[in-house]
Amino acid sequence: MFTLTGKVALVTGASSGIGRASALALAHQGAKIALAARRVDKLETLVAEIQAAGGEALAIPTDVLKQEDVQNAVAKTVATFGRLDILLNNAGIGSIEQTLDMTSDGWDKVVNTNLKAYFFVAQTAAKEMLKNKFGRIINIASILSGGVGSGMAGAINYCASKGGVVAMTEGLADEFATQGITVNAIGPGFIETEMTASVQQMPDLYKGLLARIPMKRFGKAEEIAATVVYLASDEASYTTGATFYIDGGWTAS
Ligand code: NAI
């Protein structure tokens, strides 16, 4: 089960955290991986790691905010590996900005990266997937996406962007439901990555968060990657429009 041999995946934000762990997991299951992110040195290291394990990978310098980079990432993936089956829309940024101090630029930076870019990466990828009537689009949302009682003060632009990702996931799932493309989201809880490194340096905040998480720990990127592999697999063929909260029990408590 969950074999991805012959499949081709594009992972955005692959240079660290959830993107990196997911790229390794998808490669481990046999997929060829196109790694799209801005930090080329980190991508090259990951390419070498995947190749050393017997896999195939390609680094594509990409800023997801630039349409030409997005077009290039998809075109290079197809030119190199012949097709595109799996998209992990993962590149994102966090932000702590108090509501009364929020600027238009601060709002745009987060929403454009976490939501607008997800849409245009998905749109570009879907055009390729439709050629084979097969696709798996996986969007990384958050427990802060709304609807599950996890609002967070001081991060309204982030919460709004992730809420948009869940809504977009449901809409795209409906749009492509009869065309072989599934679209799902994952809503991680707090995960140990570069994004949350500063939180872990703030003892009071960190302690408060751990107290709120039923499992009393942050998750690991690999624990998100496992769900990415499932959603990418043939076995997930009847799963679409869903959001999976992988959060140590946070949204259930
Ligand atoms: P991370 O900071 O390690 O990874 C984010 C990646 O996206 C980085 O490699 C970064 O360089 C890349 N990125 C950001 N803007 C980009 C751009 N314009 N173009 C290309 N790449 C860009 O953090 P993490 O945690 O792995 O984040 C991955 C996703 O998971 C994000 O969408 C984040 O919002 C989401 N998430 C993370 C949680 C956590 O607790 N770590 C919780 C819920 C969601």
Side-chain angles (χ1 to χ4, degrees):
M1 282 181 105
F2 311 131
T3 298
L4 299 175
T5 307
K7 297 287 191 329
V8 175
L10 172 65
V11 178
T12 69
S15 53
S16 60
I18 292 167
R20 186 179 205 283
S22 299
L24 284 166
L26 292 166
H28 184 263
Q29 295 307 112
K32 297 170 187 168
I33 318 287
L35 308 164
R38 294 167 303 183
R39 291 175 291 179
V40 181
D41 53 334
K42 287 186 180 284
L43 292 184
E44 294 295 357
T45 304
L46 183 53
V47 167
E49 205 173 318
I50 290 171
Q51 288 173 342
E56 287 184 60
L58 164 75
I60 311 173
T62 307
D63 181 341
V64 294
L65 288 169
K66 296 183 180 156
Q67 287 276 351
E68 63 273 24
D69 282 16
V70 170
Q71 301 286 342
N72 177 61
V74 171
K76 269 221 168 105
T77 302
V78 175
T80 306
F81 295 132
R83 54 190 288 133
L84 176 59
D85 303 292
I86 300 158
L87 166 66
L88 179 61
N89 238 337
N90 163 81
I93 53 172
S95 165
I96 300 293
E97 290 171 273
Q98 300 307 315
T99 288
L100 299 184
D101 300 327
M102 181 80 68
T103 61
S104 180
D105 283 351
W107 178 273
D108 285 350
K109 193 173 172 205
V110 170
V111 176
N112 286 350
T113 305
N114 294 358
L115 178 58
K116 184 178 177 184
Y118 270 39
F119 175 78
F120 284 104
V121 174
Q123 181 200 56
T124 312
K127 287 178 185 170
E128 285 302 325
M129 292 170 173
L130 285 169
K131 292 178 185 167
N132 303 313
K133 293 266 179 236
F134 180 90
R136 297 278 188 263
I137 297 176
I138 304 159
N139 298 317
I140 301 296
S142 168
I143 54 168
L144 304 179
S145 299
V148 288
S150 301
M152 188 168 156
I156 310 308
N157 48 356
Y158 184 82
C159 296
S161 70
K162 294 299 186 179
V165 168
V166 171
M168 185 184 85
T169 298
E170 293 177 3
L172 289 175
D174 190 31
E175 190 160 336
F176 293 126
T178 58
Q179 297 175 83
I181 300 176
T182 66
V183 188
N184 293 286
I186 299 173
F190 284 84
I191 308 298
E192 290 171 2
T193 66
E194 286 180 14
M195 189 175 280
T196 56
S198 60
V199 172
Q200 294 177 62
Q201 303 307 317
M202 295 182 235
D204 287 347
L205 178 60
Y206 188 42
K207 229 173 104 186
L209 288 171
L210 291 182
R212 176 77 178 76
I213 301 166
M215 284 192 175
K216 305 300 172 205
R217 66 173 177 86
F218 278 19
K220 296 189 185 312
E222 291 73 16
E223 292 174 306
I224 303 301
T227 305
V228 171
V229 166
Y230 162 66
L231 290 172
S233 71
D234 285 345
E235 286 77 5
S237 50
Y238 198 57
T239 305
T240 198
T243 298
F244 293 80
Y245 292 97
I246 312 294
D247 60 4
W250 178 298
T251 52
S253 69

